[in-house]
Amino acid sequence: MRRDFITELQDLADERAERLSWLRPLIVKFDGPVTDPAARRDILVQIHDLQPESRKLLAYASYYSAMASDWPQSLKLADQFLEVPGREEPLRLGLTLLTATVLQHSSQEDESRTRLADYCSETTTVWYRQICESLLDQRSEEDLIEKAGTIPEKVLTAHTALGFQAEAEGDIEGALAHYREALGSYLDNWIEFELARQRYIILRQQNRDQ
């Protein structure tokens, strides 16, 4: 689970213990072993409604919506987060890539490619631009994976993005292979890891049900 994120929420509760006594029970519920992605998303939205300055919650909630295949809600929450400009950092960069592929999952191919093209031309972070180029078929998957090497953060972000797109294109076996590689990064404190894990579970279950 996203341990760093749980720690952030707990710190938030400690800082505002007197006036936000409602927060800790929500954190406990969020971190519960049986809570599914949609339920976790709803908890994050509840916390954000009461603590709107904690905008990062919107980004995580968008990811959890994608884990639950709730594409409209994922886009809505991501756009709420991204509409306020911010520096290029992994959460913002990853979420922008996520929204483009969520559009693809929603059969909005043209809008997806437009967002990716804009992203490729605007981002100054080389690694995320390279992922974007691969998603646009301007760079081969093999080249991207070679550039990732054995760096866990790059392995995770590359294979999660490629897997999520392969899934949107109906290449289930390809998606499963990429998700397995992503999980092999062992970066279970990254939200992309949880996305890869949840989508892998869903696809495996669908295969068994067929």
Side-chain angles (χ1 to χ4, degrees):
M1 255 313 295
R2 176 89 186 161
R3 299 309 317 170
D4 290 355
F5 179 49
I6 297 299
T7 300
E8 290 178 25
L9 289 177
Q10 290 170 339
D11 289 345
L12 183 63
D14 292 340
E15 291 171 8
R16 299 164 173 81
E18 291 186 6
R19 67 184 181 89
L20 298 181
S21 59
W22 44 264
L23 183 55
R24 193 168 298 282
L26 287 173
I27 295 170
V28 171
K29 188 176 180 181
F30 177 88
D31 201 27
V34 298
T35 308
D36 64 28
R40 284 199 167 102
R41 181 269 320 280
D42 292 343
I43 293 168
L44 292 178
V45 170
Q46 287 181 56
I47 296 173
H48 178 263
D49 287 345
L50 295 165
Q51 192 68 31
E53 65 266 31
S54 301
R55 300 194 67 261
K56 191 181 293 186
L57 298 175
L58 294 170
Y60 289 116
S62 175
Y63 269 98
Y64 279 103
S65 293
M67 294 174 207
S69 306
D70 188 344
W71 314 129
Q73 188 69 355
S74 181
L75 286 170
K76 175 183 176 182
L77 291 164
D79 286 344
Q80 282 182 255
F81 177 79
L82 294 170
E83 69 183 6
V84 177
R87 67 182 181 86
E88 290 194 355
E89 44 83 23
L91 182 61
R92 176 175 291 272
L93 290 164
L95 184 65
T96 306
L97 286 177
L98 180 83
T99 59
T101 312
V102 165
L103 284 164
Q104 197 172 359
H105 277 271
S106 305
S107 301
Q108 300 180 58
E109 296 281 348
D110 291 344
E111 177 64 18
S112 173
R113 294 191 67 82
T114 296
R115 287 208 188 193
L116 284 173
D118 290 344
Y119 181 89
C120 281
S121 65
E122 292 170 2
T123 184
T124 60
T125 305
V126 173
W127 174 243
Y128 281 88
R129 185 168 65 245
Q130 291 171 338
I131 295 176
C132 180
E133 289 167 353
S134 185
L135 296 179
L136 279 172
D137 298 321
Q138 296 173 356
R139 178 183 299 275
S140 70
E141 290 188 9
E142 292 77 14
D143 181 71
L144 183 69
I145 292 168
E146 181 180 347
K147 289 186 181 306
T150 59
I151 301 170
E153 294 83 359
K154 290 189 174 182
V155 170
L156 174 61
T157 50
H159 282 289
T160 301
L162 293 172
F164 199 45
Q165 184 180 67
E167 186 183 349
E169 293 172 345
D171 180 8
I172 303 306
E173 291 306 316
L176 285 169
H178 282 302
Y179 289 149
R180 279 192 293 268
E181 292 294 328
L183 296 175
S185 70
Y186 299 108
L187 291 177
D188 61 355
N189 63 331
W190 281 55
I191 193 66
E192 287 90 346
F193 185 95
E194 186 68 5
L195 176 66
R197 189 178 77 87
Q198 292 292 343
R199 298 310 304 175
Y200 183 83
I201 291 170
I202 288 172
L203 294 183
R204 286 293 302 273
Q205 184 62 51
Q206 288 176 351
N207 279 349
R208 284 195 294 268
D209 291 344
Q210 289 177 353

